[in-house]
Amino acid sequence: MLTEGSAFVTRVLQDRREMKLDAKRFIGGETLDTDICIVGAGPAGLVIASELVDRHCDVIILESGGNRAEPEILALNVGDTTGDIYAGLGATRHRQVGGTAQLWNSAANAVIGAKYSPLSAEDFRVRPAADYCGWPFELLELQSDYERAQRICRLGPFAYEGAAWAQPGRNPWSDVGPDLVSRVYQCGDRDALLVPLRAAIAGATNVRLYFHATAISFEATAAGRRLSAIHVGAPGGARWTVRAKRIVFAAGAVENARLLLLLNESLGRTKDGAEWVGRGFMEHPRDRAITLRPRSPDTLARSAFYDLHLGANETWIIGRLAMADEALASGELLNASATIFPRPNEAAPWWRRWLTKGGHGWSTRRQSAGQFDGFDVLLNVEQSPHPDNRITLSAKRDSLGVARVELHWRWRPEDQARLQRVRELIAKNLEGIGTSTIDVHARPDPNAHHHAGTTRMHDDPRRGVADRNGRVHSTENLYVAGASAFPTAGFANPVLTIVAMALRLARHLQ
């Protein structure tokens, strides 16, 4: 692994090389030819490009942002929202090398990163009572890519069952009901993922990363079955072109949808998956309706497994309670994962109450029993895909002259009903620990910033935008990467699955 000093040197060297490819410096009118053009330099785009280093192909990456956040560039994210209250498209996405990983806000050992977890086996399967669910393949097909994604993300072993991480003084609860199982999140360092990927690309002879390069329009063959060129805009007005044999959209769920909507509009395309473009937008709502009051005074000490702590292999983990696959099989419930926060009482110091109220109280187990009167149960929840939750093009234009986007998003009554069943099931399964109260009127907070589902995969073009390999049904040489291709998104932070799916697509492109 890179040391802190070597990582700094690597970033400096990258900056020196990559500044030569800043599209702000283009005069305009240039045409570049390549084998593969990747739109977006977030985790998906960087992983695909790094997998193609030293292969027998030339690769160009187009990144709308630069090395740091820039207000002029971030303004391109702005769009309108309708439906339920939502933080907005400007606040929930990012344009910069590294993509939305630059917005991660989980911390372990004072290092910014994210909580990692794979999707559940049931997330991939068709569930009878859940509409629009099911992937074109099952979890087993992605297993080896998940294992390799672990290494790329610099995590511990591909092990997420609680029993694999038990240690003296930190054991999973044994007195929960049969519908819950103890598992873990692994905590990963943002730079541990991004710095090696950028270093691999910076040292490659066949990969070029262009900053401030925003895809704005396209050229296609007469029949529209192949994209032949991408027109690129840069701040300041320069316009230039990339001609590519194959193209990958890896710009996030909102931007991937916008690019495809722009393409379909220019071609007058309405079939072969075009109907689904932008539809099925999903977030990861967070629900705080459950309070658990334990019966035994030793429960606080027995809950240490569910705290943020250092596990085996120097891996930071957080214990969690997950839904058993058997409980999910019917589709009557949303997939969800519960993390447990001690609930300080008025005898606790003000700062401890503030930390827990703010959702930062991962390390509060050492407080005395007299300062504790229960647990707040935080649920990370799946959202069902629905065609009416969607991205569309706006009549408004951004600074590059491109149509902005609108998001229509609702937390639907059927999702609230399924969430209430999840709450009740969790409360029932925690009866061995204590009694639970549920605020039945509470609605979850949707703002996890985990966009997914707008270019969903399905073998049938009437049910999705792309096939099982990420190729857009209506176009022979266009692919989508990232969470936009997820037919369902489970409850988990999507980055581990994004990296695994990027590895799978890169292998297909070679």
Side-chain angles (χ1 to χ4, degrees):
M1 182 177 294
L2 292 169
T3 65
E4 183 177 353
S6 65
F8 174 76
V9 171
T10 297
R11 285 194 292 271
V12 170
L13 292 175
Q14 286 170 185
D15 288 350
R16 288 177 179 172
R17 176 182 185 272
E18 292 171 343
M19 280 299 290
K20 298 177 183 177
L21 303 181
D22 190 337
K24 280 185 177 179
R25 301 185 176 189
F26 278 31
I27 298 172
E30 296 90 345
T31 297
L32 305 178
D33 290 286
T34 190
D35 295 311
I36 299 174
C37 181
I38 300 170
V39 180
L46 292 176
V47 168
I48 293 169
S50 68
E51 290 294 291
L52 298 174
V53 167
D54 295 332
R55 303 291 178 178
H56 296 295
C57 61
D58 185 76
V59 180
I60 285 177
I61 311 170
L62 302 177
E63 169 53 46
S64 184
N67 272 323
R68 54 194 58 83
E70 301 168 68
E72 178 185 18
I73 299 299
L74 296 180
L76 297 173
N77 289 330
V78 172
D80 294 327
T81 59
T82 60
D84 291 346
I85 294 174
Y86 188 66
L89 296 176
T92 58
R93 57 196 186 120
H94 198 67
R95 292 177 191 244
Q96 183 182 345
V97 178
T100 52
Q102 303 291 357
L103 300 181
W104 289 356
N105 58 7
S106 295
N109 198 28
V111 175
I112 297 299
K115 303 191 299 293
Y116 286 79
S117 175
L119 293 178
S120 306
E122 287 300 321
D123 292 326
F124 289 84
R125 294 176 182 149
V126 174
R127 289 176 268 170
D131 293 332
Y132 310 111
C133 66
W135 286 50
F137 50 84
E138 295 202 351
L139 173 62
L140 185 61
E141 186 169 327
L142 205 57
Q143 179 79 17
S144 62
D145 292 312
Y146 264 138
E147 292 173 357
R148 184 136 180 272
Q150 286 281 127
R151 299 192 290 274
I152 290 172
C153 296
R154 302 304 195 266
L155 302 172
F158 186 63
Y160 286 86
E161 296 298 327
W165 298 93
Q167 54 185 288
R170 292 188 186 273
N171 290 295
W173 285 339
S174 59
D175 40 0
V176 297
D179 300 308
L180 297 181
V181 293
S182 288
R183 293 182 178 140
V184 301
Y185 291 113
Q186 295 189 30
C187 299
D189 175 352
R190 177 183 61 199
D191 282 351
L193 169 63
L194 297 182
V195 170
L197 293 173
R198 289 193 61 182
I201 291 166
T205 59
N206 68 320
V207 180
R208 291 169 283 170
L209 170 57
Y210 289 87
F211 298 163
H212 303 121
T214 303
I216 58 175
S217 63
F218 310 93
E219 291 181 21
T221 60
R225 295 297 299 179
R226 292 184 65 84
L227 285 192
S228 54
I230 301 175
H231 296 300
V232 182
R239 298 290 186 269
W240 48 288
T241 300
V242 176
R243 292 193 300 230
K245 297 174 183 175
R246 287 177 290 179
I247 296 167
V248 180
F249 289 167
V254 175
E255 200 64 16
N256 278 0
R258 171 156 78 162
L259 294 172
L260 275 172
L261 287 167
L262 290 169
L263 173 63
N264 289 343
E265 184 180 76
S266 69
L267 295 174
R269 183 179 284 161
T270 59
K271 297 181 178 179
D272 291 338
E275 314 96 300
W276 269 98
V277 173
R279 296 183 181 271
F281 178 92
M282 295 172 284
E283 258 283 9
H284 278 148
R286 294 167 292 189
D287 182 64
R288 301 175 184 270
I290 303 175
T291 301
L292 173 65
R293 301 190 182 277
R295 295 190 180 89
S296 172
D298 71 346
T299 303
L300 179 63
R302 290 200 304 116
S303 69
F305 176 79
Y306 302 95
D307 199 355
L308 169 67
H309 64 280
L310 194 61
N313 303 294
E314 299 297 303
T315 304
W316 287 93
I317 62 170
I318 301 167
R320 60 186 181 86
L321 295 170
M323 307 287 290
D325 285 347
E326 295 77 9
L328 295 170
S330 70
E332 298 282 347
L333 305 170
L334 297 173
N335 201 348
S337 177
T339 42
I340 311 296
F341 293 90
R343 185 185 182 93
N345 58 29
E346 292 303 315
W350 69 268
W351 55 266
R352 182 162 282 150
R353 296 196 303 273
W354 176 81
L355 279 173
T356 304
K357 183 178 180 181
H360 307 295
W362 294 115
S363 301
T364 57
R365 313 291 173 186
R366 296 177 185 174
Q367 67 196 62
S368 67
Q371 298 175 2
F372 158 81
D373 62 6
F375 295 99
D376 291 319
V377 180
L378 172 65
L379 299 184
N380 291 87
V381 184
E382 114 176 272
Q383 180 177 19
S384 305
H386 193 283
D388 289 344
N389 286 337
R390 63 183 299 200
I391 297 292
T392 58
L393 295 178
S394 167
K396 299 175 183 178
R397 301 275 167 169
D398 64 23
S399 61
L400 296 176
V402 181
R404 293 192 181 276
V405 289
E406 295 181 355
L407 167 65
H408 180 76
W409 182 89
R410 287 184 59 212
W411 181 246
R412 310 188 76 79
E414 55 267 37
D415 274 338
Q416 186 67 14
R418 294 169 74 202
L419 173 58
Q420 181 59 23
R421 289 195 288 271
V422 169
R423 294 167 173 171
E424 293 167 355
L425 180 140
I426 289 175
K428 178 180 179 181
N429 278 262
L430 290 177
E431 288 177 353
I433 303 293
T435 58
S436 298
T437 57
I438 302 173
D439 180 356
V440 297
H441 301 293
R443 290 176 67 83
D445 170 18
N447 294 297
H449 304 184
H450 295 170
H451 302 165
T454 58
T455 65
R456 67 197 318 262
M457 292 186 298
H458 201 286
D459 285 334
D460 185 346
R462 295 171 297 178
R463 302 276 287 181
V465 176
D467 68 14
R468 64 180 55 220
N469 294 313
R471 185 183 66 79
V472 174
H473 283 298
S474 55
T475 311
E476 295 172 358
N477 64 332
L478 176 61
Y479 297 80
V480 288
S484 73
F486 293 6
T488 58
F491 68 85
N493 182 315
V495 67
L496 188 64
T497 306
I498 287 172
V499 173
M501 289 293 291
L503 293 172
R504 188 175 185 274
L505 176 54
R507 193 166 56 250
H508 180 76
L509 292 172
Q510 290 177 17

